[in-house]
C-alpha cells in the first residue's frame, strides 16, 4: 500500500498499522491535534466555503502532469473531509454526492490515513488492500488507485491533503510522489503568504485609523518567521 521505493527524502513512511504515530511524535493527543487543526483552519479562513483559485490551479496542475482523471485538495474538519478544490469529480457520475456535497465522511476517506500519519500514501490498486476496497470510494465510485500527500502549513501542521485518483490500477513513480508533494508545499506556502499580506494590510489600516501604528503585530496563526521574512 505504501510505496517501499520512496526515497528517504520523501519523509517517514507510515506502517500498515495506521495508528496515529504522528500524534505520539509531536507530543499531542489526538484531541489536541484535532483542536489545533481546527484553530488554524479557522484562522487561515479555510473553513469558508468559497473556492480558492490557487488550490484550483494546484489540482489542475497535478492532474495534468500525472495524467490522472481526478485530483482534489482537501482539509480535514473533525469527522469530515472537506473538498476545497477538485478536478474530475464528474467522472464519478453526474450529480454524484461527492460533487454536490463536496464532503466525505472521515471514516470513508483514504486521505484520513495521510492526515493521521502526516506521510504520503500510495495505493496502486485498491483491490489489493482490504481496508480500501471495503470503503465507499471503491464500492460506490469504483476508485482503483490513489496517491495522497499531506497539506502542511509552514509550521508543519497537517490541514488536509492533495490527492489523485484513477478508475483503473495505476503505478505511481517516485517522481509522481515528489511532484505532488512539491505542489502541495508550493500552493500552501503561497496561500499563507497571501494570507499574511492580507492580514498585515488590514492591521495597518486599522492601526492607522486608530492612530496607533505601534500596535501592529503578526497574528497568532501566522506562518513561521522564515516565511514572514521572505515577504520583506
Amino acid at each position: 500500500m505504501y510505496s517501499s521505493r520512496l526515497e528517504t527524502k520523501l519523509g517517514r513512511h507510515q506502517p500498515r498499522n495506521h495508528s496515529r504515530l504522528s500524534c505520539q511524535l509531536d507530543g499531542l493527543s489526538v484531541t489536541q491535534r484535532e483542536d489545533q487543526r481546527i484553530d488554524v483552519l479557522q484562522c487561515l479562513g479555510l473553513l469558508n466555503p468559497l473556492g480558492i483559485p490557487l488550490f484550483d490551479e494546484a489540482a489542475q496542475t497535478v492532474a495534468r502532469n500525472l495524467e490522472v482523471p481526478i485530483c482534489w485538495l482537501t482539509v480535514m474538519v473533525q469527522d469530515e473531509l472537506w473538498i476545497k478544490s477538485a478536478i474530475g469529480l464528474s467522472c464519478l457520475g453526474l450529480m454524484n454526492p461527492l460533487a454536490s456535497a463536496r464532503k466525505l465522511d472521515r471514516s470513508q476517506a483514504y486521505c484520513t490515513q495521510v492526515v493521521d500519519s502526516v506521510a504520503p500514501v500510495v495505493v496502486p490498486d485498491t483491490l489489493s488492500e482490504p481496508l480500501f476496497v471495503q470503503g465507499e470510494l471503491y464500492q460506490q465510485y469504483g476508485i482503483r488507485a490513489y496517491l495522497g500527500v499531506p497539506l502542511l502549513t509552514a509550521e508543519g501542521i497537517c490541514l488536509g491533503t492533495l490527492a489523485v485518483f484513477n478508475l483503473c490500477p495505476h503505478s505511481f513513480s517516485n517522481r509522481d510522489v515528489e511532484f505532488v508533494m512539491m505542489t502541495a508545499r508550493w500552493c500552501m506556502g503561497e496561500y499563507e503568504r497571501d494570507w499574511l499580506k492580507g492580514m498585515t494590510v488590514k492591521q495597518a489600516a486599522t492601526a492607522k485609523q486608530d492612530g496607533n501604528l505601534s500596535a501592529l503585530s503578526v497574528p497568532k496563526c501566522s506562518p513561521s518567521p522564515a516565511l514572514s521574512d521572505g515577504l520583506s
Side-chain angles (χ1 to χ4, degrees), residues 62-220:
V62 168
R64 182 174 62 251
N65 279 272
L66 268 64
E67 298 182 339
V68 292
I70 303 167
C71 179
W72 70 27
L73 187 149
T74 67
V75 294
M76 188 66 78
V77 183
Q78 296 178 334
D79 291 331
E80 293 181 323
L81 186 74
W82 289 14
I83 303 172
K84 298 296 293 182
S85 179
I87 301 298
L89 290 185
S90 60
C91 297
L92 304 178
L94 295 177
M95 301 301 294
N96 66 79
L98 274 179
S100 56
R102 312 283 284 194
K103 293 180 180 179
L104 182 64
D105 188 272
R106 181 177 189 144
S107 65
Q108 298 297 320
Y110 299 165
C111 292
T112 297
Q113 295 203 30
V114 178
V115 173
D116 286 349
S117 67
V118 196
V121 172
V122 181
V123 185
D125 187 353
T126 53
L127 290 184
S128 66
E129 296 294 339
L131 180 65
F132 284 76
V133 78
Q134 292 170 10
E136 179 180 326
L137 288 175
Y138 172 74
Q139 294 290 335
Q140 184 170 343
Y141 301 109
I143 296 298
R144 287 292 303 275
Y146 171 82
L147 161 60
V149 306
L151 188 69
L152 302 171
T153 68
E155 295 180 340
I157 299 170
C158 184
L159 302 182
T161 66
L162 179 58
V164 298
F165 305 82
N166 209 334
L167 298 176
C168 60
H170 188 112
S171 296
F172 297 102
S173 67
N174 288 349
R175 186 183 295 272
D176 291 336
V177 181
E178 290 172 353
F179 183 81
V180 181
M181 291 184 71
M182 178 186 68
T183 306
R185 287 193 299 268
W186 165 77
C187 73
M188 197 63 218
E190 289 299 308
Y191 181 84
E192 286 189 276
R193 286 186 178 90
D194 290 345
W195 173 85
L196 181 58
K197 288 179 182 178
M199 290 301 296
T200 301
V201 169
K202 288 180 181 179
Q203 283 199 345
T206 301
K208 183 177 181 180
Q209 186 177 25
D210 295 341
N212 185 19
L213 292 177
S214 62
L216 287 175
S217 62
V218 178
K220 180 180 179 181

Side-chain angles (χ1 to χ4, degrees), residues 40-60:
V40 174
L41 287 170
Q42 178 70 50
C43 191
L44 291 175
L46 291 175
L47 297 180
N48 189 315
L50 296 178
I52 298 172
L54 184 62
F55 291 171
D56 294 338
E57 183 179 355
Q60 292 169 1

Side-chain angles (χ1 to χ4, degrees), residues 4-20:
S4 59
R5 298 169 298 158
L6 295 183
E7 297 174 353
T8 302
K9 65 181 178 180
L10 293 181
R12 184 181 66 257
H13 299 169
Q14 183 190 6
R16 288 181 178 271
N17 177 8
H18 57 101
S19 60
R20 301 185 178 184

